Amino acid sequence: MKDYGDKKIVLITGASSGIGKSCAEYLAQKKDFHIFGTSRKASIPPIKTSDNLEMIKMDVNNDASVEEAINYIFKETKRIDILVNAAGFGISGPIEETSIEKAKEQFETNFFGIHRVCRKVLPILRKQKTGYIISISSIGGLLGLPFQGFYSASKFAVEGYSEALRIETRPFGIHVVLIEPGDTKTSFTDRREKIISTDKDSPYKEYFEKTIKIVENDERNGASPEEVAKLLERIINSPHPKTRYKVGPTSQKFVASLKGKIPDRSIEWILRKYYKVY
Ligand SMILES: NC(=O)c1ccc[n+]([C@@H]2O[C@H](COP(=O)([O-])OP(=O)(O)OC[C@H]3O[C@@H](n4cnc5c(N)ncnc54)[C@H](OP(=O)(O)O)[C@@H]3O)[C@@H](O)[C@H]2O)c1
């Protein structure tokens, strides 16, 4: 067991790239934190990449892998103060043409991956009577995005899960928080799995291609992942964090904030016009 002094122990899933990596590196520069970042490509024991950052192997799709990583960390640190669930990916394509198998893959990582990690970390936080669980949702967790239906659905699931978990764990001093980024410049865009019927006569083909071009362009010109890292620091320094925080391009935050304030039909109109689904 090492001596981490007064440093807060932070576990960040999906820390090899994009938002998770940015959060890990940003907090590692501060003297108050020691970070364990996860990647499927790392190892156990972890690889130390700087004084305050170690990369440990974890596949959030796999019970044994999650258990092994968290057992290792807890054996070393005897506590976990902050969990950031950032591991995730996107699939895109027409809902009608998405197989159950592909839809389940999306949920396996983006939703069940979070539950797998939370189930192992919650007993630790509960016994400590303190801790933060911060999950990276998306603006797509607030608005059903065309041709990203299962991605949106997986993030809507994360939203409901976190709202419920926040209430259940309040008596144990645990803060459950959602971060909802808009388009952010990361490897997410290149890693997205595109699902489209091999049938060249797919009725959705033209709409899908137009929409995904706009989506990809917005992401490639999106916000810096460091914006999320700065927000994360603000949240974990807050004794009473809110349920959810939007971050990223102002126009996307604005449209998402209209939900519930203007008729759904008007939001649909904005999305149809913007993504050229007409
Ligand atoms: N980029 C955006 O515009 C945007 C907007 C809103 C929300 N988000 C959300 O932000 C989160 C991070 O995405 P990003 O944009 O940073 O994408 P990214 O650059 O592609 O990073 C994804 C991270 O997730 C990890 N990952 C993927 N599948 C995993 C698995 N089964 N087990 C463990 N780790 C896994 C990857 O690690 P390894 O491959 O090394 O294992 C990688 O570190 C995701 O939840 C995404 O939905 C992104």
Side-chain angles (χ1 to χ4, degrees), residues 22-23 26-27 30 179 224-237 247:
S22 193
C23 290
Y26 186 80
L27 290 186
K30 317 271 157 166
I179 294 183
S224 160
E226 204 171 282
E227 280 193 34
V228 181
K230 288 181 180 158
L231 171 62
L232 173 66
E233 187 190 21
R234 208 153 50 80
I235 293 169
I236 60 187
N237 282 322
V247 58

Side-chain angles (χ1 to χ4, degrees), residues 127-226:
K127 282 175 201 147
Q128 288 168 186
K129 292 204 167 299
T130 170
Y132 289 76
I133 295 180
I134 298 152
S135 297
I136 309 297
S137 173
S138 170
I139 293 287
L142 299 170
L143 303 173
L145 301 175
F147 300 110
Q148 297 192 75
F150 285 101
Y151 176 70
S152 264
S154 72
K155 295 296 188 182
F156 270 65
V158 170
E159 295 270 330
Y161 176 91
S162 298
E163 284 184 6
L165 185 64
R166 183 173 164 100
I167 300 169
E168 289 180 22
T169 58
R170 181 78 188 262
F172 307 104
I174 300 169
H175 302 291
V176 179
V177 179
L178 288 155
I179 294 183
E180 295 154 338
D183 288 329
T184 311
K185 211 189 295 182
T186 69
S187 306
F188 183 86
T189 312
D190 290 331
R191 289 187 179 183
R192 176 183 281 114
E193 201 175 326
K194 289 185 195 145
I195 292 155
I196 183 83
S197 159
T198 45
D199 175 3
K200 67 176 176 16
D201 296 325
S202 165
Y204 297 102
K205 193 169 189 292
E206 186 195 332
Y207 299 112
F208 172 65
E209 283 174 355
K210 271 199 267 181
T211 299
I212 205 67
K213 208 168 146 194
I214 297 164
V215 169
E216 288 184 347
N217 184 56
D218 286 350
E219 287 168 355
R220 290 190 211 287
N221 294 294
S224 160
E226 204 171 282

